[in-house]
Amino acid sequence: MKNQKNVGDTLKTVLILILAYVIGSIPFALIIGKAVGGVDVRNYGSGNLGGTNAFRVLGWKAGISVIIADILKGMVATYLGMVAGGETLGILAGLVAAVGHCYPLFAGFKGGKGVAVGTGVYLVLAPQVVLLAALAFALTLLISRYVSLSSIIAALTLGILTLVYDMSIFLTIISWVLVVFVIYRHRSNIKRILNGTENRIRI
């Protein structure tokens, strides 16, 4: 009976993680772009399937819709994981959803940079840190007008806050994995910032 339970738990975990990846892989920037104006956002701007490129290519209404949809991907995947197996599975499901967003099954494994999905993950796991990370994002954006730099600073803020709030070791470790992942996904932006060619937004 114990072995059957272990097999059942393992199967449930695998299924939840597969589902989380599939949820993360839904390319809302692509879907909304084609629905709104028949536009494939991959052919314009940065070619990125994320909210920032959607803003630039499709306008603010579509951009906000993409960001909200991507946040919901992280929330849904994390919530399903928590319901099925508690915080640990919720954390893993959220991480896998972020990977799915960055390397989507339904868009040739070329997606966004995971910031909005990660926000959704933390709205479920640790909502108290999201507001402060959002504040760090807003202040950095106001000063620098770089969305990419603001996203990196927000991710670093979130990672630091997991230490300040003395969260679980596993959540803290995964948080820093996500921080490194976000920085890695922004590596081309970092190069452009350093050489002065990164796009700034108008405020």
Side-chain angles (χ1 to χ4, degrees):
M1 291 295 290
K2 186 175 181 180
N3 287 338
Q4 288 180 339
K5 183 180 184 303
N6 290 338
V7 170
D9 289 343
T10 300
L11 180 60
K12 179 175 66 175
T13 297
V14 171
L15 289 174
I16 287 293
L17 295 180
I18 291 173
L19 180 58
Y21 175 74
V22 171
I23 291 170
S25 288
I26 301 172
F28 281 112
L30 183 60
I31 294 168
I32 292 173
K34 289 190 173 182
V36 169
V39 175
D40 187 335
V41 297
R42 294 173 296 182
N43 297 328
Y44 301 91
S46 66
N48 195 269
L49 285 178
T52 302
N53 199 41
F55 259 102
R56 292 194 180 110
V57 176
L58 304 172
W60 69 271
K61 290 182 180 178
I64 288 175
S65 298
V66 170
I67 289 172
I68 291 173
D70 287 343
I71 288 173
L72 287 172
K73 289 196 299 189
M75 293 181 71
V76 170
T78 305
Y79 180 76
L80 288 175
M82 290 188 72
V83 169
E87 183 185 70
T88 298
L89 186 53
I91 294 169
L92 290 175
L95 177 62
V96 170
V99 172
H101 175 75
C102 296
Y103 305 100
L105 177 66
F106 307 120
F109 301 101
K110 295 180 180 179
K113 297 187 177 178
V115 176
V117 177
T119 300
V121 172
Y122 281 89
L123 281 172
V124 175
L125 291 171
Q128 67 270 36
V129 306
V130 174
L131 181 60
L132 292 173
L135 180 61
F137 177 94
L139 289 174
T140 306
L141 187 63
L142 184 64
I143 295 167
S144 71
R145 293 185 288 129
Y146 289 132
V147 175
S148 54
L149 179 61
S150 303
S151 298
I152 292 169
I153 294 299
L156 286 167
T157 300
L158 190 147
I160 292 168
L161 288 173
T162 60
L163 299 171
V164 172
Y165 280 94
D166 194 27
M167 295 179 183
S168 70
I169 295 296
F170 188 62
L171 178 56
T172 301
I173 291 171
I174 294 299
S175 296
W176 282 99
V177 169
L178 282 170
V179 170
V180 172
F181 188 57
V182 167
I183 294 172
Y184 171 77
R185 291 292 293 172
H186 284 86
R187 62 195 184 281
S188 60
N189 302 88
I190 294 170
K191 290 179 181 178
R192 289 195 295 271
I193 290 171
L194 292 175
N195 63 32
T197 59
E198 177 76 338
N199 290 326
R200 296 176 186 263
I201 67 164
R202 295 181 180 179
I203 299 178

